[in-house]
Amino acid sequence: MSSNNLDALYRQVIMDHYKNPRNKGILENGSLTVDMNNPTCGDRIRLTMKVEDGKVADTKFEGEGCSISMSSASMMTQAVKGKDVETALKLSRTFSDMIQGKEYDDHGMDLGDIEALQGVSKFPARIKCATLAWKALEKGLQE
């Protein structure tokens, strides 16, 4: 597939998650709530997670921001739901490396839609947008 076709496909995936976010809302009986914002661009997120038996049993998000920020939150909730805490944190580190344009080890991991955000690494000002939900995930799981 040509680079232009791949970029177009990735843009479609990002816009689909932005217009039809997965796991949007608040878990009423969530065991963890993390609020974070990106003051430079106004993105904000509230992440709620239920962690049971060392696994992310459920997670939802609410917030407002750009398409990169909100689609990344949607993709992140899909990616970590049902994963054990260690795997979720490893996925977050892998995403962070990918989004910063660093070498990353995705061996044994299905990045799924998350790969659509790879191109953000070419736009340093947007990296904070893409990583906001992931930083909230790390903060919640490490507390």
Side-chain angles (χ1 to χ4, degrees):
M1 190 176 299
S2 78
S3 177
N4 286 344
N5 288 348
L6 195 56
D7 287 346
L9 177 65
Y10 283 171
R11 272 195 298 280
Q12 283 181 319
V13 170
I14 291 167
M15 290 311 294
D16 180 51
H17 275 273
Y18 179 63
K19 292 177 179 175
N20 307 296
R22 282 53 150 193
N23 305 304
K24 184 132 186 189
I26 296 288
L27 289 175
E28 291 303 320
N29 298 320
S31 54
L32 297 166
T33 300
V34 179
D35 291 303
M36 292 192 82
N37 67 51
N38 181 354
T40 50
C41 67
D43 294 339
R44 66 166 193 82
I45 187 169
R46 168 169 281 175
L47 182 67
T48 52
M49 292 181 284
K50 186 172 287 192
V51 178
E52 294 173 342
D53 301 322
K55 288 190 176 198
V56 180
D58 200 3
T59 184
K60 291 186 182 256
F61 78 98
E62 270 194 342
E64 50 194 40
C66 67
S67 59
I68 299 289
S69 175
M70 295 295 104
S71 61
S72 182
S74 173
M75 292 175 196
M76 184 273 296
T77 59
Q78 274 194 310
V80 302
K81 196 184 281 193
K83 302 275 191 300
D84 62 68
V85 169
E86 186 179 318
T87 302
L89 288 169
K90 183 175 188 232
L91 190 57
S92 183
R93 288 188 296 272
T94 300
F95 176 77
S96 181
D97 287 344
M98 180 190 80
I99 210 77
Q100 292 177 58
K102 297 178 182 175
E103 288 290 315
Y104 61 95
D105 176 17
D106 62 348
H107 183 70
M109 277 191 274
D110 176 17
L111 296 179
D113 287 352
I114 296 166
E115 282 187 290
L117 293 167
Q118 218 170 6
V120 172
S121 66
K122 298 175 195 155
F123 306 97
R126 304 305 298 273
I127 290 173
K128 285 185 179 177
C129 303
T131 58
L132 183 64
W134 295 87
K135 297 292 181 201
L137 171 76
E138 288 176 9
K139 184 177 179 186
L141 293 179
Q142 290 171 344
E143 285 180 357

